[in-house]
Amino acid sequence: MVRLNRHLLPIKAHFFFFMAAMGPILPQLAVIGKQIGVPPDVMGYIMAVLPILYVLAKPLVGFLADYFTSLRKFIFITLILIMTLAFAGFYFLPGNEHAIQLEDNKDTWNVTLLERPTDCSPTIESSPSFCQVAHRADCNLGESGFSALIVAHGDNLNLSKNLLHGNESYHLCLTQPRTLDWSNTSSTSCQLQHVSSCIYGDSKFWLFVCLLFIGTIGFNVTNSISDACCFDLLGEKQDKYGAQRVWGTIGFGATAMLGGIVVNWWTSDAVKSLTPALVIMCVFSLLDLFSVSKLKLPKLGGSESIWKDVWQLVRQPPILVFLFFATMAGIIDSFIIYFMFWHLEQVAEATGYMHEIKLIEGLVVAAECLAGEVPFFFYSGKIIKKLGYVHCMSMCFFFYAVRLSLIAWIPNPWYLVGVELFFQGITYALCYTCIVAYASAVAPPGTSATVQGLMAGMDDGLGFSIGSLVGGYMFNRIGGRESFKYFAIAAICTCVAHIVVRPTSRKRQFLPNQGYQQPAEQDVKLPPPQELQEIQLDNKTVD
């Protein structure tokens, strides 16, 4: 007969409701930006800055949670509330009202000039409707080029319609005077782009950025504090972490699919309303606040000097090495998260599967969460206990290399469902558990939240920032398939480096108020955070 551990029921409920609240929102953040007119390259800059803020915010909030131990639950609830209110603020964002819709940051038009264009009138840019009717254009005329503005609704601004694109007429004017041969206008092409001043000078853009920053930082910090609280509740049963965290994966996968179905049913327009997704988020956030209020966190002995103990921890070579490889895991994860679907849609365009792409993307997420992550989160503790942290991390990097190679290879989008089904769990889920469990095992007494924040900040903070910048540059220069091939090579090189470097670290242990000492020759078992803290053990216990 299976007995339910009622002591751990609130943390299971928290993981389920917390991640269920995020399921309909997190995958759509870039889409929300696109719907209000934020170009993809600007979204890339935003996503590169965000992880750097995680690096700063996670250890800072973790320090507060460790220092004010009696207020840990209050801090927890406050973070969830702030995160929910920030994401709910997306409801008040106005839509993109531009008269010319661009499919991407750059949209190429083949146009016909009906008459020779003139220089742009100062009244165009000074018009209150300028940002709603104008786009910047780089045009070719024979072997020459010129910069221009293309303006819709010319009659509203008293402008002539001198350009024909399809069945629509627009006004084109020169932003820089040029002497060109205007006799042949039939083969003119223009690349349209957003006007930068309209993006960065728009209040709705900055409102979106502020809400995005507050919401995503709140989510990531709450996630880190959740892990610390979970390990505190588990006490000596550290290997049971995955069995708690798996409920978050179930909640996220279920509501991500539910949100997609409801949003698609709610609105039939090309621009989907996110109101149903926000309602789902708010309902599950309220349930999460209730579950957190029922958490009975154990009383922890505080550290006399949190920063001193943490600094003494991170200056040890094994910890520095682990932080480096945690950052490498974040670099690889960020490239997959930010660019896998972009690559998938390029493959779909090339193979004729664009009419099924949203169905495929939904099935990929379901395969990742419900079939890929669930079993590995559930059994991750036993796997780590059997293999140890060194072998587990090495294995994760090896399978990251296999996964990235297969993503680069897929001949059509449907193959990605199978790839993610088999490899999401043994890469992301196992690697994530390995990082947070190691952080809990090595954290000196009273510093668990601070150390969790530090480890997570290096993984999905610094690592994500580097990965998004490097990945975006490579994706733009050499395309999706080649980029994934190079990241696969980087993953296998990281695997080899991890196998070579990690086991060379000497065995050391942390004794409260005594610093790091050489341990006895006998094997040391996995300790609880409140007792002896191991930094490097043999491969079958804690490394």
Side-chain angles (χ1 to χ4, degrees), residues 507-511 513-520:
K507 298 179 180 181
R508 301 176 69 109
Q509 66 188 30
F510 179 86
L511 296 175
N513 302 320
Q514 297 181 32
Y516 290 84
Q517 309 293 334
Q518 293 295 336

Side-chain angles (χ1 to χ4, degrees), residues 266-492:
W266 184 266
T267 53
S268 58
D269 300 334
V271 178
K272 300 294 185 181
S273 170
L274 285 170
T275 301
L278 295 175
V279 170
I280 293 172
M281 179 202 68
C282 290
V283 170
F284 280 98
S285 289
L286 289 174
L287 293 172
D288 185 31
L289 289 171
F290 176 77
S291 67
V292 170
S293 69
K294 298 299 180 181
L295 277 176
K296 295 181 179 178
L297 298 175
K299 293 183 179 180
L300 303 176
S303 173
E304 295 178 2
S305 179
I306 294 174
W307 288 119
K308 180 181 178 180
D309 287 346
V310 173
W311 170 246
Q312 193 175 18
L313 176 73
V314 300
R315 62 193 291 266
Q316 301 302 310
I319 300 300
L320 290 175
V321 171
F322 187 84
L323 287 174
F324 171 79
F325 285 106
T327 304
M328 289 301 300
I331 291 172
I332 296 170
D333 270 331
S334 69
F335 182 69
I336 295 173
I337 290 170
Y338 293 145
F339 295 101
M340 183 177 69
F341 276 2
W342 200 328
H343 168 59
L344 184 70
E345 297 203 1
Q346 287 184 343
V347 174
E349 289 175 356
T351 55
Y353 283 91
M354 280 303 292
H355 63 291
E356 298 176 328
I357 191 61
K358 294 305 176 185
L359 170 63
I360 296 171
E361 289 175 352
L363 291 175
V364 167
V365 174
E368 287 178 340
C369 294
L370 302 179
E373 293 180 14
V374 166
F376 275 91
F377 271 130
F378 192 79
Y379 292 107
S380 58
K382 294 181 180 180
I383 296 172
I384 293 172
K385 190 174 183 180
K386 180 71 173 177
L387 299 179
Y389 294 116
V390 168
H391 290 337
C392 271
M393 286 291 286
S394 300
M395 183 174 68
C396 288
F397 285 122
F398 173 78
F399 282 107
Y400 265 125
V402 177
R403 180 184 177 188
L404 289 160
S405 300
L406 291 174
I407 294 173
W409 162 79
I410 56 170
N412 74 60
W414 281 104
Y415 281 76
L416 188 63
V417 178
V419 172
E420 294 303 286
L421 174 68
F422 288 105
F423 289 99
Q424 171 77 355
I426 203 169
T427 53
Y428 171 76
L430 186 59
C431 187
Y432 180 86
T433 305
C434 197
I435 291 171
V436 297
Y438 186 86
S440 176
V442 303
T447 67
S448 60
T450 308
V451 176
Q452 285 289 353
L454 177 64
M455 292 289 187
M458 299 303 290
D459 175 20
D460 55 21
L462 181 61
F464 269 46
S465 182
I466 296 172
S468 61
L469 285 174
V470 174
Y473 177 79
M474 290 179 62
F475 204 97
N476 188 54
R477 292 295 299 272
I478 61 178
R481 290 193 187 275
E482 293 300 315
S483 297
F484 275 96
K485 288 179 184 177
Y486 280 112
F487 266 81
I489 294 171
I492 197 65

Side-chain angles (χ1 to χ4, degrees), residues 169-343:
S169 299
Y170 301 91
H171 175 77
L172 182 142
C173 62
L174 303 177
T175 56
Q176 296 177 349
R178 292 293 305 272
T179 303
L180 298 170
D181 180 11
W182 300 102
S183 58
N184 181 14
T185 60
S186 60
S187 60
T188 306
S189 65
C190 295
Q191 278 197 333
L192 275 64
Q193 302 180 47
H194 296 275
V195 180
S196 296
S197 60
C198 289
I199 300 168
Y200 300 115
D202 192 348
S203 59
K204 72 178 178 183
F205 168 77
W206 292 110
L207 176 60
F208 168 72
V209 170
C210 289
L211 294 175
L212 180 67
F213 275 30
I214 295 171
T216 51
I217 291 172
F219 164 74
N220 280 273
V221 173
T222 304
N223 208 23
S224 180
I225 300 295
S226 299
D227 291 333
C229 291
C230 180
F231 280 110
D232 291 341
L233 282 167
L234 290 172
E236 297 185 13
K237 299 178 180 180
Q238 303 283 288
D239 59 338
K240 299 297 183 182
Y241 165 78
Q244 321 310 315
R245 179 62 177 77
V246 69
W247 291 99
T249 293
I250 295 171
F252 189 91
T255 57
M257 286 196 300
L258 175 64
I261 294 170
V262 174
V263 167
N264 195 63
W265 169 78
W266 184 266
T267 53
S268 58
D269 300 334
V271 178
K272 300 294 185 181
S273 170
L274 285 170
T275 301
L278 295 175
V279 170
I280 293 172
M281 179 202 68
C282 290
V283 170
F284 280 98
S285 289
L286 289 174
L287 293 172
D288 185 31
L289 289 171
F290 176 77
S291 67
V292 170
S293 69
K294 298 299 180 181
L295 277 176
K296 295 181 179 178
L297 298 175
K299 293 183 179 180
L300 303 176
S303 173
E304 295 178 2
S305 179
I306 294 174
W307 288 119
K308 180 181 178 180
D309 287 346
V310 173
W311 170 246
Q312 193 175 18
L313 176 73
V314 300
R315 62 193 291 266
Q316 301 302 310
I319 300 300
L320 290 175
V321 171
F322 187 84
L323 287 174
F324 171 79
F325 285 106
T327 304
M328 289 301 300
I331 291 172
I332 296 170
D333 270 331
S334 69
F335 182 69
I336 295 173
I337 290 170
Y338 293 145
F339 295 101
M340 183 177 69
F341 276 2
W342 200 328
H343 168 59

Side-chain angles (χ1 to χ4, degrees), residues 25 81-93 211 215 278-279 281-282:
I25 299 299
L81 188 60
I82 291 173
M83 175 199 71
T84 303
L85 291 175
F87 283 138
F90 287 150
Y91 177 81
F92 300 100
L93 287 174
L211 294 175
L278 295 175
V279 170
M281 179 202 68
C282 290

